[in-house]
Amino acid sequence: MKRNRFEMEILKHRLLVGPNYANNTWKILEHAIMDILTNHKLGTLSFDYRHAYEMVLHNFGEKLYYGLVTTMTSHLSGISKLIEDAEGDLFLEELNQRWADHNKALQMILNILMCMEIAFIPRTHKTPILELGFNLWRDIVMPRTRLRDTLLELVYKERNGEVINRELMRNIIKMLTDLGSSVYEEDFEQPFLEVSADFYSLKSQQFIESCDCRDYLKAERCLNEDIERVSHYLDPRSLDKIAKLVEKEMIESHMHRLFQIENMALLDMIVNDKYEDLGMQYNLFRRVPAGLSIVRDVMNLYIWDTGKQLVADLERLKDPVNFVQCLLDLKDKFDKIISLAFNNDNTFQNALNSSFEYFINLKPSSPEFISLFVDDKLRKGLKGLSEDGVEVLLDKVMMLFRYLQKKDMFKMYYSLHLANRLSSGKTISTDDERSLIDKLKTERRCQFTSKLEGMLIDMKTSQDTSIGGED
């Protein structure tokens, strides 16, 4: 077997020793190790290191290693009794202090046994010193059941408003993770998640039965507060797990009931433009799978119903301009909701567009009505609007145009209305006429607007000819 440079250096200095050498040298090292374990004092480092070096040098590494195991086992048995005898709040404090002492002692022991760590342990496949120390602590000292129950009790107290020592909790849980992920998961994380599921299942049930929808939406704040609390001591790997658990128990389990109870109706928030409540609704339900789809479905249902009522209202249909203005107002309403409450979520915007396209095309006369709306505005309705205001209005018209399935019908009516405006001299701005045609051209390309552009050119030519004739 190939030896490393350190082992080769040891072999070069090997000397003959007497029959009692191993026992005598180990007694010296045993005393030094016990002094470290009990008094946390390191003697003469070079002296102790030299003895450990020589034991490995003379092939007594096995005796040195198992001597260390025996010494630490005996010491930790006494420590286990001290921790077991600690009562009440002193239990965790004693455990924490003894664990800190044990870690400090392991580092000192490693310093004097570094030769064994480097030259003997890898060659014999023994457990390294620090890992050995952790394993012995886990197997001898760890009061696993009592520790689990104590930690869970502290979590429960804090969730119910009591103040606990978070730093002590963090240190103890750090000890569990240092002892291995399986120790942390089995002794704390798994039971913690189990009691958390029960706690939040009961709390959410009590909450939903005793408050209205707006109060329940504050569950998000409750959720955030709990995540913030446990983040002070939980291992980071557990934060996502507890977040998902709380979301499931506090939100997902009650989504459908929230929308079924009258005083919790999402529709009420939509109808009355309750942006803050809608925002809380969005932030709460986006945390769980299918949460936002339910909110979108409710929004879509309202838009469909409102739109269908609008296109079926015979009185309103007698006034095409007012009909189109109602369409724009409804679109503005939901654009604002999506912007202020739904974080400009594209999925909501897409749902809004789909709903509008559906009910606008229920009415065969929609292309004509939109053209009549434009006709009204370009004859008289743009007076008093700023240049930016005119552009906003024309962009809204283009938005409705995009929803139309029969765009050629709109073009036909728009051509007739444009020709009438131009021939009667009723248009209030050829620049605005040109702006809308340019927007249509961008949307549908040149072929769609060539006739419309020709009308404007003919009008301009006619005006220039008339002016020239007068001159």
Side-chain angles (χ1 to χ4, degrees):
M1 181 171 55
K2 186 176 181 181
R3 300 177 183 273
N4 61 37
R5 293 176 58 190
F6 194 84
E7 291 178 285
M8 296 298 293
E9 189 67 22
I10 288 176
L11 292 173
K12 287 167 54 179
H13 296 85
R14 181 177 295 173
L15 301 172
L16 293 176
V17 294
N20 296 322
Y21 167 78
N23 289 332
N24 293 337
T25 306
W26 165 242
K27 286 182 180 180
I28 296 172
L29 286 171
E30 182 183 28
H31 177 77
I33 291 171
M34 282 301 300
D35 201 28
I36 290 172
L37 290 172
T38 55
N39 302 315
H40 316 113
K41 291 172 57 178
L42 184 63
T44 305
L45 176 61
S46 60
F47 180 74
D48 295 331
Y49 177 86
R50 181 68 188 179
H51 281 304
Y53 172 87
E54 289 177 351
M55 285 195 72
V56 175
L57 175 69
H58 296 296
N59 284 333
F60 294 115
E62 195 85 10
K63 182 177 183 64
L64 179 59
Y65 185 86
Y66 284 106
L68 172 65
V69 172
T70 301
T71 302
M72 284 203 295
T73 298
S74 174
H75 171 74
L76 291 178
S77 296
I79 295 298
S80 176
K81 184 65 169 61
L82 292 174
I83 294 172
E84 182 182 333
D85 292 341
E87 298 181 355
D89 295 339
L90 295 179
F91 166 62
L92 286 187
E93 293 179 7
E94 182 74 15
L95 178 62
N96 181 52
Q97 184 58 56
R98 296 295 180 177
W99 170 247
D101 292 344
H102 184 61
N103 272 274
K104 184 178 179 180
L106 287 176
Q107 291 295 334
M108 293 180 182
I109 292 171
L110 180 62
N111 286 336
I112 64 174
L113 301 183
M114 186 59 70
C115 175
M116 181 179 74
E117 178 79 5
I118 295 174
F120 174 75
I121 288 177
R123 176 163 49 86
T124 57
H125 306 291
K126 297 286 193 295
T127 303
I129 292 172
L130 292 182
E131 185 180 349
L132 172 67
F134 284 8
N135 292 345
L136 292 173
W137 178 275
R138 179 196 65 208
D139 297 337
I140 299 171
V141 177
M142 274 283 290
R144 305 180 83 154
T145 301
R146 184 183 180 187
L147 178 58
R148 177 200 64 207
D149 293 344
T150 302
L151 292 177
L152 294 180
E153 182 183 3
L154 290 176
V155 171
Y156 179 82
K157 286 181 177 180
E158 187 177 45
R159 282 174 171 164
N160 285 279
E162 296 186 42
V163 177
I164 66 169
N165 188 336
R166 287 179 173 177
E167 182 179 1
L168 181 59
M169 278 277 287
R170 182 170 59 250
N171 290 342
I172 296 299
I173 289 176
K174 176 66 166 54
M175 175 193 73
L176 294 177
T177 59
D178 287 345
L179 292 174
S181 59
S182 62
V183 175
Y184 170 74
E185 291 167 4
E186 294 172 12
D187 287 14
F188 179 74
E189 184 186 65
Q190 184 175 340
F192 167 73
L193 293 176
E194 290 172 358
V195 299
S196 296
D198 293 339
F199 176 82
Y200 280 105
S201 176
L202 177 61
K203 184 170 185 177
S204 64
Q205 193 63 39
Q206 294 171 340
F207 204 0
I208 199 170
E209 290 175 356
S210 63
C211 67
D212 62 19
C213 188
R214 192 178 194 284
D215 287 336
Y216 194 84
L217 293 178
K218 295 175 184 176
E220 184 194 17
R221 184 171 62 194
C222 172
L223 189 153
N224 289 334
E225 288 173 353
D226 193 71
I227 299 303
E228 191 276 333
R229 277 195 299 269
V230 298
S231 68
H232 287 280
Y233 46 79
L234 273 188
D235 183 79
R237 292 170 294 180
S238 299
L239 292 179
D240 187 56
K241 296 178 183 178
I242 185 62
K244 285 183 173 14
L245 183 147
V246 178
E247 289 163 359
K248 179 179 183 299
E249 297 298 337
M250 291 291 290
I251 307 171
E252 188 174 3
S253 298
H254 301 289
M255 282 194 302
H256 293 283
R257 187 176 178 189
L258 281 172
F259 298 133
Q260 291 169 355
I261 299 176
E262 184 178 355
N263 69 338
M264 296 181 179
L266 173 62
L267 281 176
D268 177 67
M269 301 178 194
I270 292 175
V271 171
N272 295 292
D273 297 328
K274 296 181 179 180
Y275 303 120
E276 182 181 357
D277 292 351
L278 287 168
M280 286 192 291
Q281 184 88 265
Y282 176 86
N283 289 326
L284 190 66
F285 287 99
R286 71 175 175 175
R287 292 176 175 271
V288 295
L292 290 184
S293 66
I294 294 179
V295 179
R296 282 195 301 271
D297 290 345
V298 174
M299 183 188 81
N300 275 346
L301 181 62
Y302 176 82
I303 298 172
W304 288 346
D305 288 345
T306 304
K308 286 190 289 186
Q309 291 173 22
L310 184 61
V311 299
D313 188 338
L314 297 178
E315 283 299 315
R316 197 179 297 279
L317 292 174
K318 293 177 181 179
D319 185 349
V321 174
N322 179 257
F323 169 79
V324 174
Q325 186 60 56
C326 288
L327 292 179
L328 295 178
D329 292 343
L330 184 63
K331 181 64 165 54
D332 285 344
K333 173 186 177 71
F334 280 94
D335 281 341
K336 194 170 183 180
I337 287 175
I338 291 172
S339 173
L340 298 179
F342 296 160
N343 197 34
N344 284 318
D345 191 317
N346 284 333
T347 63
F348 280 79
Q349 190 63 58
N350 293 337
L352 173 61
N353 291 336
S354 177
S355 298
F356 260 76
E357 182 176 355
Y358 164 72
F359 74 76
I360 282 179
N361 289 289
L362 290 177
K363 194 66 181 174
S365 56
S366 289
E368 179 185 6
F369 281 14
I370 295 173
S371 180
L372 285 170
F373 178 84
V374 172
D375 186 61
D376 178 78
K377 298 305 177 185
L378 290 176
R379 285 176 181 270
K380 56 185 179 181
L382 298 180
K383 289 181 179 179
L385 287 180
S386 66
E387 184 176 337
D388 289 342
V390 171
E391 284 299 305
V392 169
L393 181 62
L394 296 182
D395 284 339
K396 289 181 178 180
V397 169
M398 288 302 303
M399 174 266 299
L400 294 181
F401 171 78
R402 293 187 190 101
Y403 294 142
L404 292 175
Q405 293 174 355
K406 297 181 179 180
K407 292 180 172 60
D408 287 337
M409 290 290 291
F410 171 83
K411 176 185 173 183
M412 181 189 73
Y413 286 114
Y414 184 79
S415 297
L416 293 173
H417 295 146
L418 175 60
N420 186 269
R421 286 196 301 276
L422 296 179
S423 62
S424 63
K426 295 294 186 179
T427 184
I428 60 174
S429 171
T430 54
D431 288 339
D432 294 337
E433 297 278 8
R434 168 61 66 183
S435 178
L436 183 56
I437 292 174
D438 285 343
K439 292 178 187 295
L440 288 168
K441 183 178 180 179
T442 300
E443 188 75 22
R444 300 292 292 178
R445 299 188 178 179
C446 300
Q447 186 176 358
F448 188 84
T449 59
S450 58
K451 182 179 178 180
L452 305 178
E453 290 177 296
M455 290 183 188
L456 288 182
I457 293 171
D458 290 345
M459 185 195 72
K460 182 69 168 59
T461 301
S462 176
Q463 287 177 341
D464 291 343
T465 301
S466 176
I467 294 172
E470 292 175 2
D471 290 343

